[in-house]
Amino acid sequence: MSPRKALELTDAVKEYAGTPPVRALDGVSLTIEQGELAAIVGPSGSGKSTMLHVMGTLDRPTSGRVSIDGQEVSSLGDRKLSAVRSQLIGFVFQQFFLIDGMTALDNVANGLLYAGVPKRTRRYSAAEALVSVGLGHRLTHQPNQLSGGERQRVAIARAIVHKPAIVLADEPTGNLDSTSSEAILELIHQLHRAGSTIVVITHDVDVANALPRQIAVRDGRIEHDVRRSDQPISRTATVGHDSVVTT
Amino acid sequence: MTTPTPAVSGRRLTPSRLRISDVFSVGSSGLRTRVTRTALSALGITIGIAAMVGVLGISESSRADLQAQIAALGTNLLTVTPSGGFGGGDGALPADAVATVSRVGPVERVADVVQLESAVLRNDLVNENETGGVTAMAADLDLLATLNGEVAVGSWLNEATAQTPTVVLGAVTAERLGIVEVSQGAMILIGGEWFTVIGVLEAFPLAADLDRGALIGKPIAEELFESDLSSSALYLRTNPDQIDAVRAVLGTTVDPQSPDEVSISRPSELLEAQDATESAFTNLFLGLGAVSLLVGGVGIANVMVIAVIERRNEIGLRRAMGATRAHIRHQFLTEALLLSALGGLAGVALGVAVTAGYAGTQGWDVVVPPLAMVGGLVSALVIGAIAGLYPAMRAARMAPTEALRAA
Ligand SMILES: Nc1ncnc2c1ncn2[C@@H]1O[C@H](COP(=O)(O)OP(=O)(O)OP(=O)(O)O)[C@@H](O)[C@H]1O
Ligand SMILES: [Mg+2]
C-alpha cells in the first residue's frame, strides 16, 4: 500500500486583487507524504506564507485544488474547513500566539477545544504533549513567565496535541536566538522521527538544509524540490511551472 | 469537486464543535485576564441598574410603609365638617348631629369635637396673639378610640377628668407650648382659666387638625365657656363594606335641610393620594437610570470593539485551531453578555443596598419588588446582547489570514 498523502496541492494559484494583481502562488503542485519533514524555503515575498495559508485552509486558492489527508478541501464551506483545521492540521507561528493569562497547559489544551474534546481529556493530552516537547516542568507557567524558546515549544505542543495529519510551521525559529533555534529544530526532528508530518517554512537556507527535503520557492513558483535521501520524489502532479527536480 | 479515493482517505471528520461548558469559559477568558477593565466597563450598567432598582425599591418600601400605616389607621374613617371647613367661620353642625349619625346602621362609632373660642396660653405673661395656630376644643371621650389615636405621655380624658380643668394636648400643641412632661403638673391657660395638662397625644395622621388642639372634656367646657356645644367635626367609623353607602346618605342625615353645607371626607384617601405625587420623582429617577443604562451599553460596545481589535491575533489563532465563524461570534457575544450580567448583578445588589440604607433611616421595612430585580437583570442582558452584537459580528467576519497578521 502506497503511503497516504498528508497534503497535496494541485496547480494552486493565489492572486491578490490590486493594480496590478499580485500572483503570490503561480500554479504550484506539490505532494507531502505522510511522515515527511520538508522545508519550504525562499526569499521574502516569494509566496511562502501564502502557500502555508492555502495549504492550511486559512485561505482559499484562486484556482487549483488542495487536499489534506486524502480529503479535497478547496470547495468546503467555513464549517467544514474549520473541522479540517480542528482535527487534521496543526499550526506553529513565528510569533507563537499564546494566549496571555492562560497557563501553558491550558494554551496547549486549546488545541483540542474546537474538536469538542471534554476538558479533562484535553488537559490530560496537553500535559502529555508538553512532556513530549520537554516542558513537563512548566505546565502551570504563564506565557510571560517563559523564554522565547519555551514559548515556541508550548506552541509546538499545541500544534501536535490533537495528533494532526500535518503540522505547518511558518518561520518557527524566526523570533529566536541561534541556541533556541537549534533546540527547536532538534525538537522538530524528534517529532518527525516519532512519525509526525511537518512542513517548515523558512527564509533561512541553513535551516532548510538541515531538513530531509527542501522545496525552494521564488515568485510564487517552485524553483526546485530536493530530497537529501536517494529515493526519487514521488509526485502525483507535475503541472508546476519551472519545477526542477534535482538530486 | 474531486472525491478522495477511499484507500487514501484519512480519518473521518467530525464537525468543529465547542462544548456548551466551554462556551462560558472561552467567553469569560478575556474578562478574567483584564479585571480592572472588566469592572470599569461594567460600571455604567451597574449605575443604571442600581438607580432603577434603588428608586423602585425606595418607592415600594415607602408605599408599603404608607399602606401599613393606612391599614393600621383604618380606611373606614369618615370625617364630617361644616362646608366652610374646620374652623371655617361660624359654620357648625346641627346640635343633634352625633345622635342622628349614630342611628345610621353601619356606623360603628361616632365622636365629635367642638371648637372653643377661648385662647390657649402657656402662662399669663404671654400675649394672646402669640399662641396662634393652637385651638381649644371640647372632645368626646370616644374620640381617641374612634381615631385609633395613641397617648404619647400621661393619659386621655375620662369621665372624672372631663369634669375638671384638665387638658390633653395634641402633638403640635405640646411642641408649641414646650410641654414634654406631664408628671410635674404643668398648667396652661385656656380662656383665662388654669388647666392641668394630664396627657400629650401622638400625631393623628388621619386628623391633623386635632394635633393643634388643646382637648378638654365637654362637661367642663359647658361649665366654664359655652352652654351650647354644637359639633365642629364628626369622626365616624363604619362597617368597611358599606362605607360608600354611608357616605352617600351622611349629608342628608346630618343636615336634612341643607345637606350641601356639610362636607364629608375620607382621610385615608388623602394619604393614598400622597403616593401618586411621589411617583413623579420615581419616574424621573427611572428615566435617569435608563439613560445611564444606555450609556453603559454604549460603553460595553466600545470596550468590545477595542477588545476585538486588540485580540485580532487570538481570533486568528482560534480560527487556525478550528473555530468556526459562529464560535468566534459566540465567544464575543458571551463576553459582552457576561460583562453586562456582571454589571447588572452588581447593580441589583447596589440598588438593594441603597434601598435598605434609605429604608433604615426612615424606619421602613425593606421592600424591593422582584420585578425590579428580574427586570434589571433582563434589561442588562438585553443591552449587553445589543452592545455585543456588532463587535462579535466584526470578529467573526475577520479573515483568518488577516487576523493572524502580526500586529
Ligand atoms: N493580503 C495581501 N494582499 C495583497 N498582497 C499580498 C497579501 N499577502 C501577501 N501579498 C503579496 O504576496 C506576495 C507573497 O507574500 P507572502 O507573505 O506569501 O511572502 P513570504 O514568502 O511569506 O515573505 P516573508 O518571508 O517576507 O514572510 C508578496 O508580494 C506580498 O506583497
Ligand atoms: Mg511570510
Side-chain angles (χ1 to χ4, degrees):
Chain A
M1 195 177 95
S2 66
R4 197 195 293 155
K5 296 173 184 73
L7 183 141
E8 196 172 8
L9 288 187
T10 311
D11 210 9
V13 172
K14 178 69 193 182
E15 218 169 58
Y16 290 111
T19 43
V22 179
R23 217 165 222 245
L25 279 190
D26 193 6
V28 170
S29 295
L30 158 74
T31 302
I32 306 288
E33 306 287 353
Q34 217 178 35
E36 254 195 310
L37 170 56
I40 292 176
V41 64
S44 183
S46 55
K48 306 184 296 294
S49 292
T50 304
M51 197 189 284
L52 177 118
H53 290 152
V54 168
M55 285 168 37
T57 76
L58 292 171
D59 210 350
R60 289 170 201 283
T62 312
S63 69
R65 289 198 305 277
V66 182
S67 85
I68 291 156
D69 202 29
Q71 315 201 28
E72 167 65 33
V73 297
S74 25
S75 58
L76 300 182
D78 178 63
R79 285 161 54 95
K80 292 253 175 71
L81 281 185
S82 298
V84 167
R85 291 196 293 267
S86 75
Q87 289 149 72
L88 298 182
I89 306 174
F91 289 94
V92 177
F93 301 99
Q94 182 174 352
Q95 306 89 340
F96 324 135
F97 292 147
L98 301 183
I99 298 179
D100 288 329
M102 222 183 248
T103 62
L105 188 73
D106 284 334
N107 263 289
V108 174
N110 271 346
L112 290 163
L113 186 62
Y114 297 99
V117 177
K119 185 166 190 169
R120 288 185 53 163
T121 320
R122 287 204 306 265
R123 288 202 153 158
Y124 183 81
S125 305
E128 268 187 347
L130 277 167
V131 168
S132 76
V133 300
L135 282 182
H137 58 302
R138 291 278 187 272
L139 301 186
T140 58
H141 281 59
Q142 308 253 334
N144 57 13
Q145 298 169 320
L146 297 171
S147 73
E150 286 173 329
R151 286 183 212 188
Q152 195 59 300
R153 278 169 193 271
V154 174
I156 290 172
R158 183 181 61 198
I160 59 167
V161 69
H162 55 307
K163 306 204 162 40
I166 189 164
V167 174
L168 303 173
D170 193 353
E171 303 275 10
T173 59
N175 274 9
L176 302 177
D177 60 49
S178 59
T179 321
S180 305
S181 295
E182 266 165 45
I184 291 294
L185 279 178
E186 179 43 41
L187 174 61
I188 286 171
H189 276 288
Q190 183 192 317
L191 295 173
H192 168 234
R193 284 193 296 274
S196 294
T197 309
I198 306 171
V199 174
V200 176
I201 282 188
T202 181
H203 66 276
D204 185 336
V205 183
D206 291 339
V207 169
N209 283 339
L211 304 187
R213 179 180 174 190
Q214 294 99 41
I215 301 158
V217 195
R218 185 176 292 276
D219 296 336
R221 300 174 193 197
I222 294 181
E223 204 174 39
H224 63 251
D225 187 342
V226 191
R227 277 189 190 175
R228 254 194 333 209
S229 63
D230 298 320
Q231 308 149 287
I233 294 161
S234 83
R235 295 189 117 225
T236 47
T238 50
V239 202
H241 308 260
D242 279 358
S243 49
V244 184
V245 179
T246 45
T247 311
Chain B
M1 177 174 162
T2 53
T3 0
T5 42
V8 294
S9 155
R11 334 173 193 177
R12 227 159 197 286
L13 280 182
T14 57
S16 271
R17 84 189 181 96
L18 188 61
R19 306 178 137 249
I20 296 293
S21 56
D22 290 328
V23 171
F24 181 81
S25 67
V26 166
S28 65
S29 75
L31 302 180
R32 276 180 277 133
T33 53
R34 298 168 180 81
V35 177
T36 314
R37 186 197 288 193
T38 300
L40 286 177
S41 50
L43 198 60
I45 296 273
T46 302
I47 292 172
I49 299 288
M52 297 174 93
V53 170
V55 157
L56 289 174
I58 287 171
S59 82
E60 194 60 29
S61 300
S62 121
R63 177 172 309 145
D65 185 69
L66 200 60
Q67 292 297 338
Q69 250 184 59
I70 291 170
L73 298 168
T75 53
N76 61 337
L77 183 79
L78 292 176
T79 309
V80 183
T81 50
S83 283
F86 199 100
D90 61 340
L93 299 168
D96 58 349
V98 173
T100 50
V101 167
S102 59
R103 255 178 263 123
V104 177
V107 172
E108 293 168 350
R109 301 189 99 113
V110 195
D112 71 337
V113 292
V114 181
Q115 254 189 83
L116 305 172
E117 301 295 318
S118 326
V120 179
L121 299 177
R122 179 71 183 88
N123 54 47
D124 45 15
L125 303 175
V126 180
N127 185 310
E128 255 181 58
N129 299 325
E130 283 174 23
T131 45
V134 173
T135 313
M137 300 175 189
D140 249 357
L141 293 181
D142 247 4
L143 184 72
L144 198 66
T146 305
L147 286 168
N148 288 355
E150 303 270 353
V151 178
V153 283
S155 56
W156 175 239
L157 300 168
N158 58 31
E159 298 283 356
T161 51
Q163 326 237 358
T164 58
T166 52
V167 61
V168 173
L169 306 179
V172 173
T173 307
E175 199 191 305
R176 294 252 168 104
L177 298 180
I179 292 171
V180 288
E181 272 267 33
V182 296
S183 54
Q184 310 289 331
M187 310 267 276
I188 61 170
L189 274 172
I190 299 176
E193 305 278 346
W194 286 104
F195 277 70
T196 307
V197 179
I198 59 163
V200 175
L201 301 176
E202 296 281 9
F204 291 101
L206 296 182
D209 295 314
L210 297 182
D211 295 340
R212 298 163 193 283
L215 304 164
I216 62 174
K218 280 186 179 175
I220 187 76
E222 257 172 338
E223 186 188 320
L224 294 180
F225 308 122
E226 284 169 45
S227 50
D228 170 36
L229 296 181
S230 54
S231 309
S232 318
L234 239 60
Y235 301 95
L236 55 117
R237 293 277 180 187
T238 73
N239 179 327
D241 299 330
Q242 282 166 287
I243 187 152
D244 289 325
V246 172
R247 195 173 182 170
V249 301
L250 216 46
T252 41
T253 310
V254 171
D255 194 346
Q257 275 85 49
S258 45
D260 289 350
E261 284 173 20
V262 174
S263 105
I264 300 149
S265 68
R266 188 177 176 185
S268 58
E269 281 173 354
L270 297 175
L271 280 182
E272 275 161 2
Q274 212 176 304
D275 237 20
T277 53
E278 275 176 19
S279 75
F281 285 99
T282 305
N283 287 342
L284 178 69
F285 274 98
L286 279 183
L288 287 176
V291 169
S292 170
L293 208 56
L294 216 65
V295 172
V298 173
I300 286 187
N302 187 28
V303 162
M304 291 307 298
V305 167
I306 292 170
V308 168
I309 293 167
E310 270 181 358
R311 285 153 69 193
R312 224 181 59 204
N313 287 162
E314 181 190 324
I315 295 167
L317 171 75
R318 288 184 184 275
R319 297 281 277 139
M321 292 191 305
T324 61
R325 286 184 210 282
H327 289 149
I328 300 295
R329 194 167 56 238
H330 294 161
Q331 175 180 345
F332 284 94
L333 211 51
T334 306
E335 190 166 316
L337 281 173
L338 282 173
L339 205 52
S340 61
L342 278 177
L345 276 175
V348 168
L350 190 61
V352 171
V354 164
T355 305
Y358 190 76
T361 65
Q362 302 289 312
W364 300 339
D365 285 341
V366 181
V367 184
V368 180
L371 194 65
M373 295 195 271
V374 174
L377 267 184
V378 168
S379 45
L381 286 175
V382 168
I383 295 251
I386 294 171
L389 202 61
Y390 167 72
M393 303 271 269
R394 211 171 127 162
R397 266 206 306 268
M398 210 182 279
T401 51
E402 164 81 12
L404 283 167
R405 199 164 294 152

